[in-house]
Amino acid sequence: MSTQSFTPALGRVAPARFFDVVVALTRERLWRALAAMYVVPRPDDVIIDVGCGTGSLALLLSRVQPSARIIGLDPDPDVLAVARQKAAADATVQWRVGMGDALVDSVGADSVDTVVSSLVLHQCPLPMKRTVLASMLAVLKPGGKLVIADYGLQRTTLMRLAFRIVQLADGKEDTQPNADGALPGLMSDAGFADVREAEVVSTVTGSISIYVARKD
């Protein structure tokens, strides 16, 4: 996957600088807090936020556990510029340009305690979802944890209608597998164990699920 082939943070809707404004409409504070709760960062943990965007989740984790080593990785220099501005004097997050399907190149195999990702996989074509998940598994230490916050199974008519906003921005072909509930199966296929949908948060753009899993 080249750095020119990723879907921008807001798809075709708006420039990266408006990402935080738009995402705030999705009950962001709730689902990010839930994601952080399942990460449970510990001192000296190495945590990589794949597709970190403007850095909201990475910065939250650094505030929860300042002694953890947090890496925010994204292929888009524009959103990383926003993340660096938001971080200001917060030196605990390392911002890196990189692709989700080449995490070993960025951090090394079996080197990370926890991989987190939010609102990324729904933007990826199905083969790329598989490749990114395999890449996440490869960088986790044995026993390491995966926490994903993303659009999942849209269970109700209202949520399916709301999710059309996302599909207009990011395209139906890439987003429909998420809406059909494909992520847990894809995570299991990639080799993750104990895969489960831990939380579901209804939003104006569809329901966002928190998925957790581990590497044996």
Side-chain angles (χ1 to χ4, degrees):
M1 184 176 183
S2 77
T3 55
Q4 301 302 313
S5 63
F6 64 87
T7 301
L10 288 178
R12 298 183 291 268
V13 173
R17 65 181 180 274
F18 297 115
F19 179 78
D20 288 338
V21 176
V22 174
V23 173
L25 301 174
T26 67
R27 303 177 72 191
E28 174 194 20
R29 292 181 66 180
L30 174 57
W31 60 258
R32 286 205 196 281
L34 289 169
M37 180 181 75
Y38 284 100
V39 170
V40 195
R42 301 166 299 182
D44 302 320
D45 271 359
V46 179
I47 302 171
I48 184 167
D49 183 356
V50 178
C52 66
T54 61
S56 296
L57 182 54
L59 290 168
L60 173 59
L61 293 172
S62 75
R63 291 192 294 270
V64 171
Q65 181 48 262
S67 297
R69 180 187 172 200
I70 313 292
I71 301 167
L73 182 134
D74 200 280
D76 189 342
D78 291 339
V79 296
L80 285 179
V82 177
R84 290 188 179 97
Q85 287 181 331
K86 287 168 61 175
D90 189 338
T92 63
V93 178
Q94 302 172 27
W95 307 108
R96 299 184 185 178
V97 177
M99 301 300 297
D101 62 339
L103 296 177
V104 172
D105 294 340
S106 296
V107 296
D110 302 320
S111 64
V112 174
D113 296 287
T114 304
V115 173
V116 299
S117 185
S118 59
L119 303 186
V120 172
L121 289 175
H122 77 276
Q123 296 182 316
C124 299
L126 189 56
M128 184 53 62
K129 296 184 204 293
R130 297 183 186 276
T131 304
V132 170
L133 287 167
S135 183
M136 291 172 168
L137 186 74
V139 297
L140 277 173
K141 299 175 183 178
K145 184 188 305 181
L146 173 67
V147 179
I148 291 177
D150 211 329
Y151 292 101
L153 177 62
Q154 303 302 305
R155 291 175 167 84
T156 68
T157 299
L158 179 60
M159 288 298 97
R160 288 192 293 272
L161 288 172
F163 190 63
R164 289 181 182 177
I165 298 171
V166 176
Q167 295 191 307
L168 285 172
D170 299 326
K172 185 173 182 179
E173 183 177 357
D174 294 347
T175 58
Q176 192 61 46
N178 284 59
D180 293 337
L183 278 186
L186 293 174
M187 293 164 68
S188 295
D189 290 346
F192 285 98
D194 298 334
V195 177
R196 65 190 178 99
E197 183 185 49
E199 306 282 350
V200 179
V201 178
S202 298
T203 83
V204 297
T205 57
S207 61
I208 292 176
S209 296
I210 309 296
Y211 299 102
V212 295
R214 66 176 177 85
K215 178 177 180 177
D216 280 336

